Amino acid sequence: MGKKTQHCLLLLLCLSELVHYSAALTVWTAVVEISYAKNNNETVDKYCECGVYGRNSPLEKASGIVTLPSGDPKGCGSDPVYNRNSSSPSWIALVKRGNCTFSEKINAAKRQGAAGVVVYNVDGSGNSTTHMAHSDAAGIVAIMIGNVQGAEIVKLVKNGTDVRMIIEVGSYNGDPTVSFNFLYLIGIFIIVIGASTCAIIYVNRLCRLSMHRRSERRLKSEAKKAIGRLQVRILKTGDEETTSETHVCAMCIGFYKAGEVVTVLTCDHIFHKACIEPWLLERRTCPMCNCNILTALGVEEESIESLSDESPPEVTVITVTGAEPIYEVPLTDPASPDPERQQHRFDNGAFEGDAEAGRR
């Protein structure tokens, strides 16, 4: 699986989590309608959009006679807490918040067949409500109402009044705090993903640059070795290169003179040694015919990547000065077993001939 695919999957996963989170923060109000008869048989109807559906509650209608827990008004406990029998009509459990979780309250009523559960808030909270979370008690309508409203209904029921309640879905509550939080999370997510992507691209570019530099160092190392295997000559008076005006160094466009050191490439083109070597170190090709000296000497550039980072062996040189320009001549050890140094020694026949004559 490619890195881009992994990033896309991570992005989709994070977005799905954000969507789930935003759905969990969606607040739906509940319309609560109660009706009951006074002592004079006058029917009282009250209606308000004052409830809030729980996060795990189905958005459905529920109705029935309001029923209170038989003991603790908070409706906690695993034992039956409502004095209801199977022949009773549909009923709504009204319990007070506190002592146990919302899920435990709702499940206690659900086990005994409640059509819905209404939780009213704690004392002193007025008519404020909370968005209940009850993931362990899904599948039943569950809402919360304020303490003042709940206490009023409790008082009626305790006085022996049958209170019928109808719960219906209200409207989406566009809480600006929820929207702000969601947008804030989206912004943080985008920043994190953007920063991660930039960091990955930057590290990738650094790795590629580092690999390119290592490759260039290895190629330059091989080029140094190849230059040491090229034929080097010291021009003499009477050589064709010094007598013909058609022979010029293509690098400096200068005529050849006796005593100058020249390098003969594998393609037989000749250049001043001081002119051509810097070129070959960087480009490794003949400036006239583009012949690659590494390829001509049997070195495949594609295989350079597998070479070690070891530096090439140093070559001791002596500097020759005189009336002509300064140049450097490798000083090799005739007894050295190094085949490259031996090759360099043998290829410099003209230089060795002059040196031998000097010794005599």
Side-chain angles (χ1 to χ4, degrees):
M1 183 181 295
K3 291 184 178 179
K4 291 185 177 179
T5 303
Q6 292 176 352
H7 294 160
C8 290
L9 290 176
L10 177 61
L11 177 62
L12 290 175
L13 178 61
C14 292
L15 286 177
S16 66
E17 288 298 323
L18 284 174
V19 170
H20 176 75
Y21 177 76
S22 64
L25 293 179
T26 301
V27 179
W28 285 90
T29 62
V31 177
V32 180
E33 180 181 356
I34 62 172
S35 60
Y36 58 92
K38 288 185 175 181
N39 294 332
N40 56 3
N41 292 328
E42 179 184 354
T43 302
V44 178
D45 294 312
K46 292 186 177 181
Y47 171 95
C48 66
E49 191 173 351
C50 50
V52 175
Y53 274 86
R55 294 183 185 180
N56 307 99
S57 170
L59 297 176
E60 299 174 355
K61 178 180 179 180
S63 62
I65 301 299
V66 176
T67 303
L68 305 178
S70 56
D72 181 9
K74 296 181 175 64
C76 299
S78 57
D79 297 330
V81 293
Y82 298 91
N83 294 326
R84 305 292 301 182
N85 54 57
S86 58
S87 61
S88 299
S90 177
W91 58 283
I92 300 289
L94 178 63
V95 295
K96 190 175 184 178
R97 181 180 183 180
N99 281 6
C100 59
T101 65
F102 293 123
S103 294
E104 291 173 335
K105 297 175 186 294
I106 296 169
N107 281 328
K110 184 180 178 181
R111 282 193 296 268
Q112 290 187 247
V117 179
V118 177
V119 179
Y120 62 98
N121 216 343
V122 296
D123 296 337
S125 60
N127 277 327
S128 64
T129 57
T130 300
H131 196 196
M132 298 187 300
H134 48 93
S135 57
D136 294 332
I140 182 173
V141 173
I143 69 169
M144 176 177 278
I145 62 175
N147 175 266
V148 174
Q149 296 156 335
E152 180 184 347
I153 299 173
V154 169
K155 184 177 180 180
L156 290 171
V157 175
K158 285 186 175 181
N159 289 336
T161 303
D162 287 336
V163 179
R164 180 172 179 81
M165 178 181 290
I166 301 175
I167 302 170
E168 293 185 297
V169 180
S171 58
Y172 169 71
N173 182 8
D175 188 347
T177 303
V178 173
S179 300
F180 175 79
N181 289 339
F182 179 69
L183 292 176
Y184 179 77
L185 288 173
I186 288 290
I188 293 296
F189 172 74
I190 292 174
I191 291 173
V192 170
I193 291 297
S196 301
T197 303
C198 290
I200 291 172
I201 293 174
Y202 180 72
V203 171
N204 186 51
R205 291 186 64 180
L206 283 181
C207 291
R208 289 180 178 273
L209 181 60
S210 177
M211 290 176 62
H212 175 72
R213 288 176 176 173
R214 287 199 301 269
S215 176
E216 285 297 314
R217 286 198 299 268
R218 292 166 181 167
L219 285 172
K220 186 172 289 188
S221 174
E222 290 301 308
K224 286 182 180 179
K225 296 178 183 178
I227 290 171
R229 296 171 59 184
L230 296 174
Q231 181 183 359
V232 177
R233 292 172 50 197
I234 297 180
L235 297 179
K236 302 177 182 178
T237 303
D239 285 347
E240 181 183 358
E241 291 81 9
T242 62
T243 58
S244 173
E245 294 184 354
T246 60
H247 288 82
V248 295
C249 175
M251 301 298 297
C252 65
I253 317 299
F255 292 104
Y256 295 114
K257 300 176 183 179
E260 291 183 335
V261 181
V262 296
T263 297
V264 183
L265 302 191
T266 55
C267 54
D268 293 331
H269 288 128
I270 298 176
F271 305 89
H272 285 126
K273 184 176 185 293
C275 294
I276 194 62
E277 286 194 354
W279 172 280
L280 293 176
L281 281 175
E282 297 297 330
R283 296 171 177 81
R284 301 171 292 280
T285 58
C286 173
M288 296 183 65
C289 66
N290 208 35
C291 174
N292 191 304
I293 63 170
L294 294 183
T295 303
L297 294 173
V299 180
E300 296 294 336
E301 291 196 21
E302 290 77 6
S303 63
I304 299 300
E305 294 296 334
S306 61
L307 297 176
S308 65
D309 287 327
E310 296 179 0
S311 301
E314 295 184 357
V315 178
T316 305
V317 298
I318 60 174
T319 302
V320 180
T321 61
E324 303 299 333
I326 298 175
Y327 57 87
E328 293 180 339
V329 179
L331 183 62
T332 58
D333 181 6
S336 172
D338 187 344
E340 292 186 9
R341 297 198 176 199
Q342 291 290 341
Q343 179 67 33
H344 188 88
R345 175 172 175 265
F346 295 148
D347 285 346
N348 296 344
F351 174 75
E352 291 180 3
D354 290 347
E356 185 67 26
R359 285 193 295 271
R360 291 198 299 269

